[in-house]
Amino acid sequence: MVNAISAIADDRPGVLRDITKIVAEEKGNINYTQQFILDRGEHKGKAHIYMEIGNTDKIDSIIEKIKADPKVIKADKSPRFNEVYGKRVIIFGGGAQVSEVAKGAISEADRHNIRGEKISVDTLPIVGEKSLAEAVRAVKRLHRAKVLVLAGALLGGEITKAVRELKKEGVWVISLKNVGSAYKQADLVVSDPTLAGVLAVMTISNRAQFDIKEAKGKQL
Amino acid sequence: MVNAISAIADDRPGVLRDITKIVAEEKGNINYTQQFILDRGEHKGKAHIYMEIGNTDKIDSIIEKIKADPKVIKADKSPRFNEVYGKRVIIFGGGAQVSEVAKGAISEADRHNIRGEKISVDTLPIVGEKSLAEAVRAVKRLHRAKVLVLAGALLGGEITKAVRELKKEGVWVISLKNVGSAYKQADLVVSDPTLAGVLAVMTISNRAQFDIKEAKGKQL
C-alpha cells in the first residue's frame, strides 16, 4: 500500500509547514515526518522530506498540490518505511558477543522475512559507559524500534539507569548474562548470544509462538 | 555537543509548525526533523518530536519557549543521532551471505568505534526482486546511510535499476559477486562476504587508509 510522500525541496523556512498544510486540507493524518538536508548526491544541499499519511485516499491530489509549490523540486508517492524495512531489533555491545547476537538475529529474521514479515537488525558495536547509556536512551527516538539486546561483557552504572528509563517507553530489553547490574533490568536474560538474537526476533514477530511476557524475569 | 531537542506533545495539528517557529525566532537552523506518533510506552498516542539545530547557542531559551506551549508535555536537550549512532552501513540480502557480511562489518566497526568513531551496521535479510528493489530505493530516505552492501545470491532486473538510481544519490554500493546484473552497477565487487563487510566500514571511516574511489570498478 503506497501512502507516503517523498519530496525534494529548497532548504528554505516554511517548506514543511506548507506541505503539512496541504495534507491537512485533504484531511490526511500525518503519522510520521522526516526532513533532513541532503549531504550527498545530485540534490546535495536540498531538503529531503518524507511523510506517511493515514486516513486519506487523496494521495494523488496531495502530490499534485505539493508539486505546484515553487520551492518543491520533486514529489512522489512512496511505500512506507514499515512496509519496506519493518520493525527493528536494536543490538548494542562490543567484541565477539555483539556480532554473535547479530548473526543469530539476522538468521532468524531471514526465516521470518522469507514468509512475508519484515524485521530489520540494527547493530551498533560500542564501548564505554557514557556512550552506551546515550545509545540506550536514544532508542526511544528510533522509529519502529521494538526490542533492544544488550550484548556486552560489562554493563552497569549509567547504563542500568538508561535501561530502566527505556523500559517505560515500551521497548523490550533482552540482555546477555554479564558483569554489572544492567542485565537485572532486562525483561529476559540469556546466556547464549545466538539464542539472545533469535529470541529478540521472535519477541517482535507476528508469527512466532514465543511470548516474552510469559518468559519475563527468566534467566536462560 | 548537545544541540538537539527531543519533545513529547499532544498529537494535534500545528505542533511541529509552532516549534519550528520558535527555533526560527532564535535564528536556529533545523538540520534534521523527525516526528512520529508513539505506539508504545507511557506516552502512547502522543507525538514524539526530535530536531537537530545548527547555528545557535540559544538552545536553552529555545527549550524554555517550547515548554511554555500548552500542547507540549515535555522537552529536553539531547545529543544528535550522528553523535550517538554515527554513519550507517546498510546490508541487504538473504541466507548465509547476509549474516556473514554483517559479521564482517560489525567486527570492523567495533575496531573503529573503540578508537572513537561511530559506525552502525543496519541489516535487512530480505528476498524477492520487488522487495529488494524497494529496499534499495528507500536507502536515499535513510538519514546517515553512506554505503550499501548487496549480500544476496541472485540480484537483477528491477534491483539493477534501483541500484543505478541510488548511486545518483551519492550512496556507495558494494556487491558480492553473484548471479544477475545488479553487481555490475556497484562501485566495488567483492567475492568474500567478510571482506565485503569490512570494506564497507572502511569506505565510510574517517581513519581508514582505504579509498573506494581508487578501487572503483575492481572485482576482488
Side-chain angles (χ1 to χ4, degrees):
Chain A
M1 201 172 63
V2 174
N3 53 3
I5 292 167
S6 183
I8 307 284
D10 291 332
D11 176 23
R12 273 160 53 189
V15 173
L16 200 56
R17 180 197 59 210
D18 294 349
I19 293 181
T20 305
K21 206 174 146 213
I22 292 167
V23 176
E25 280 165 7
E26 300 284 342
K27 313 273 184 244
N29 283 344
I30 299 172
N31 298 320
Y32 179 80
T33 306
Q34 180 184 254
Q35 173 177 270
F36 59 91
I37 310 307
L38 290 161
D39 61 354
R40 50 172 157 84
E42 60 178 334
H43 297 294
K44 194 172 169 172
K46 302 288 180 188
H48 178 278
I49 297 149
Y50 168 79
M51 253 178 218
E52 298 183 358
I53 319 266
N55 253 4
T56 185
D57 48 5
K58 297 195 187 163
I59 195 95
D60 290 309
S61 79
I62 290 174
I63 298 262
E64 287 314 308
K65 285 188 181 181
I66 291 172
K67 279 183 174 168
D69 185 323
K71 294 187 290 298
V72 172
I73 294 149
K74 58 186 271 189
D76 298 287
K77 282 192 279 192
S78 79
R80 290 190 297 134
F81 272 140
N82 203 41
E83 290 153 19
V84 180
Y85 299 134
K87 302 174 203 173
R88 295 158 88 178
V89 173
I90 311 290
I91 302 170
F92 298 149
Q97 291 159 296
V98 69
S99 58
E100 286 307 314
V101 172
K103 204 175 165 185
I106 292 165
S107 296
E108 184 67 13
D110 189 42
R111 297 175 68 236
H112 287 260
N113 294 353
I114 212 165
R115 293 185 297 177
E117 286 196 89
K118 291 273 168 68
I119 296 172
S120 300
V121 179
D122 296 353
T123 309
L124 177 62
I126 195 173
V127 289
E129 184 179 338
K130 188 175 166 289
S131 295
L132 258 162
E134 260 185 5
V136 170
R137 288 205 168 94
V139 171
K140 65 169 184 266
R141 300 193 255 128
L142 291 178
H143 189 224
R144 300 175 286 110
K146 304 289 179 193
V147 59
L148 168 65
V149 188
L150 298 172
L154 173 61
L155 303 165
E158 200 56 36
I159 303 164
T160 307
K161 273 195 231 172
V163 172
R164 210 179 294 136
E165 287 169 32
L166 183 65
K167 281 180 60 193
K168 285 192 206 154
E169 309 286 338
V171 177
W172 294 108
V173 179
I174 294 175
S175 178
L176 296 185
K177 185 76 182 274
N178 50 30
V179 182
S181 59
Y183 80 87
K184 291 175 193 159
Q185 301 296 326
D187 295 293
L188 182 66
V189 179
V190 183
S191 299
D192 175 53
T194 304
L195 182 62
V198 169
L199 289 180
V201 170
M202 287 173 70
T203 296
I204 62 172
S205 163
N206 296 326
R207 293 183 178 224
Q209 300 295 317
F210 176 71
D211 185 349
I212 195 171
K213 285 192 282 294
E214 285 171 24
K216 224 173 142 94
K218 272 198 186 151
Q219 299 201 6
L220 300 175
Chain B
M1 201 171 61
V2 174
N3 54 3
I5 292 167
S6 184
I8 307 284
D10 290 331
D11 176 25
R12 275 160 53 189
V15 174
L16 200 56
R17 178 198 61 210
D18 294 348
I19 293 181
T20 306
K21 208 175 145 212
I22 291 167
V23 176
E25 280 165 9
E26 300 284 343
K27 313 272 183 246
N29 284 343
I30 299 172
N31 297 321
Y32 179 79
T33 306
Q34 180 184 253
Q35 174 177 269
F36 59 93
I37 310 306
L38 290 162
D39 62 353
R40 49 172 157 83
E42 60 177 336
H43 297 295
K44 193 170 169 174
K46 302 289 179 188
H48 179 277
I49 297 148
Y50 168 80
M51 253 177 215
E52 297 183 357
I53 319 267
N55 252 5
T56 182
D57 48 8
K58 297 196 191 161
I59 196 94
D60 290 308
S61 78
I62 290 174
I63 299 261
E64 288 313 310
K65 285 189 180 182
I66 290 172
K67 279 183 175 169
D69 185 323
K71 295 187 289 297
V72 172
I73 294 149
K74 56 186 273 190
D76 298 287
K77 283 192 277 191
S78 79
R80 290 190 297 134
F81 272 140
N82 202 42
E83 291 153 18
V84 181
Y85 299 135
K87 303 175 201 173
R88 293 157 89 178
V89 174
I90 312 289
I91 303 170
F92 298 149
Q97 291 159 298
V98 68
S99 57
E100 287 307 315
V101 172
K103 204 175 164 184
I106 292 165
S107 296
E108 183 67 13
D110 189 42
R111 297 176 68 237
H112 287 260
N113 294 353
I114 212 164
R115 291 186 299 177
E117 286 197 90
K118 290 273 168 69
I119 297 173
S120 299
V121 179
D122 296 353
T123 309
L124 177 62
I126 196 174
V127 288
E129 183 178 338
K130 188 175 165 288
S131 294
L132 258 162
E134 260 185 6
V136 170
R137 288 203 168 98
V139 171
K140 66 169 183 266
R141 300 193 256 127
L142 292 178
H143 188 223
R144 301 175 285 113
K146 303 291 178 190
V147 59
L148 168 66
V149 187
L150 297 171
L154 172 60
L155 302 165
E158 199 57 35
I159 303 164
T160 307
K161 272 195 232 172
V163 172
R164 209 178 295 135
E165 287 169 33
L166 182 65
K167 282 179 60 192
K168 285 190 206 156
E169 308 287 338
V171 176
W172 295 107
V173 180
I174 295 176
S175 179
L176 296 185
K177 185 75 182 275
N178 49 29
V179 183
S181 58
Y183 79 87
K184 291 175 192 158
Q185 301 296 326
D187 296 292
L188 182 65
V189 179
V190 183
S191 299
D192 174 53
T194 304
L195 182 63
V198 170
L199 289 179
V201 171
M202 288 172 70
T203 296
I204 63 173
S205 163
N206 296 326
R207 293 182 177 224
Q209 300 295 317
F210 176 71
D211 184 349
I212 195 170
K213 286 192 280 296
E214 284 171 24
K216 223 174 141 94
K218 271 197 186 152
Q219 298 200 7
L220 302 177

